[in-house]
Amino acid sequence: MPLDPQIVTVMEAVAALGLPPNNEVSPEQARINGKMRPRAPGPRVANVEDRTIPGPACEIPVRIYTPEGTGPFPGLAWFHGGGWVVGDLDTADGVARQLCAGANCVVVSVDYRLAPETKFPGAVDDCYAATQWLAANAASVNVDPRRIATGGDSAGGNLSAAVSLMSRDRGGCDLAFQLLVYPVTERNFDNVSYTDNGQGYSLTRDGMIWFWDHYLASDADATNPYAAPIHAGDLSGLPPALVITAEYDPLRDEGEAFADKLAAAGVPTVCTRYDGMIHGFFGMAATVDKAKDAVAQATGCLREAFSGAPVAR
């Protein structure tokens, strides 16, 4: 279907800012520019706390969102997008609030180390450590350690999938769910969605090449399952998943291929493509109706997973 008119309005507003593409500036400037993009505030929640937790190389800043109620609540470790190069707790704030209020869960938003200053596997190591910290310290943040999920958008979806693999492989905490919003799952710039959507729809092919070049320490890392989860030889035993994709997103096909591979491995998986949408739409719930629908689907699936209800295929 054509681009959704509400998405066109958003794209016009972003274009009016006159910001250059990320791949034409330094990572430092890309981070500054990213903060200039409009983001609607999320809903009020009962409490928001900034703190640091132990990491594999340094302290990891996190922002902890607690919903109304008495708890103990389910917990969600949330990893922001931004191609492993940009993004932080502030750019993730609106979505984290939406998930906290909508799923009635504590959200621990993780400010993992960014590339190129920290190459793979720094970011995923931080996210795994934060997830394990949440499980080990659940009582201190009013969380039920039996009901913990991971999630993220774009590069954050990549990190969520990788953390699920790590948790299985390393005997980490049992995860109830993985929420993968247009996840990066492989370094492949030549599939149909890259060919069709690699220019003109916010995220570009050149931009993704730039992100991958900054993230990976070597070409060999491109097939490491913790960097590119679709290359995992065995996806069985992973937590149930919701994979959300967008029609006009170069990452569409790799997200859907990963969902197919999860399902084939026996992982309860729901994959939903939102037609007329572009990469990044999940954070536009304040102005885009289909973004509201996607957030409602995500929070609904989280509530079901936390209650022990099976994920419909």
Side-chain angles (χ1 to χ4, degrees):
M1 66 177 293
L3 276 174
D4 187 288
Q6 292 176 323
I7 284 291
V8 173
T9 299
V10 171
M11 291 174 65
E12 289 173 347
V14 172
L17 297 174
L19 300 174
N22 286 334
N23 56 286
E24 295 181 6
V25 298
S26 67
E28 295 80 6
Q29 188 61 50
R31 293 166 192 157
I32 293 169
N33 294 348
K35 288 179 175 290
M36 296 174 63
R37 294 176 180 271
R39 285 181 174 83
R44 292 180 61 86
V45 297
N47 189 62
V48 180
E49 177 191 3
D50 285 352
R51 62 183 294 183
T52 59
I53 62 174
C58 58
E59 292 286 294
I60 304 170
V62 297
R63 184 169 294 169
I64 302 171
Y65 301 80
T66 304
E68 299 288 346
T70 56
F73 301 100
L76 171 66
W78 180 254
F79 314 130
H80 66 77
W84 312 282
V85 175
V86 302
D88 57 23
L89 298 178
D90 291 335
T91 60
D93 185 73
V95 167
R97 289 172 178 272
Q98 294 272 3
L99 295 170
C100 174
N104 196 41
C105 68
V106 169
V107 174
V108 178
S109 183
V110 181
D111 201 11
Y112 53 86
R113 288 171 292 164
L114 297 177
E117 295 87 349
T118 301
K119 298 279 192 176
F120 171 81
V124 69
D125 285 346
D126 285 357
C127 292
Y128 178 74
T131 304
Q132 299 308 305
W133 176 89
L134 175 57
N137 297 273
S140 71
V141 290
N142 203 10
V143 163
D144 178 355
R146 299 165 299 178
R147 296 186 292 161
I148 291 176
T150 67
D153 56 328
S154 192
N158 166 280
L159 295 168
S160 176
V163 166
S164 293
L165 283 166
M166 280 186 169
S167 293
R168 182 202 65 183
D169 296 346
R170 299 178 180 181
C173 65
D174 289 331
L175 295 171
F177 194 71
Q178 50 182 327
L179 171 58
L180 310 179
V181 181
Y182 29 75
V184 185
T185 68
E186 64 176 331
R187 190 183 70 172
N188 174 8
F189 311 117
D190 298 315
N191 59 31
V192 173
S193 61
Y194 263 101
T195 300
D196 291 349
N197 307 319
Q199 289 288 338
Y201 302 109
S202 180
L203 181 65
T204 66
R205 183 179 187 273
D206 289 343
M208 280 305 304
I209 292 171
W210 186 81
F211 286 136
W212 275 109
D213 285 349
H214 282 308
Y215 183 49
L216 298 184
S218 70
D219 282 340
D221 289 336
T223 55
N224 186 313
Y226 298 151
I230 206 165
H231 289 290
D234 178 15
L235 294 178
S236 64
L238 294 178
L242 170 63
V243 180
I244 288 174
T245 65
E247 181 181 9
Y248 290 96
D249 183 355
L251 304 186
R252 181 195 68 208
D253 289 357
E254 66 194 76
E256 293 173 2
F258 187 64
D260 289 344
K261 193 170 181 180
L262 285 170
V267 177
T269 303
V270 172
C271 183
T272 304
R273 178 191 295 186
Y274 282 84
D275 290 335
M277 295 293 103
I278 62 171
H279 192 83
F281 85 97
F282 192 77
M284 303 175 189
T287 54
V288 177
D289 290 338
K290 286 190 177 180
K292 294 186 182 73
D293 294 342
V295 171
Q297 182 187 22
T299 55
C301 285
L302 283 166
R303 289 194 304 271
E304 291 174 2
F306 291 142
S307 71
V311 175
R313 297 202 186 188

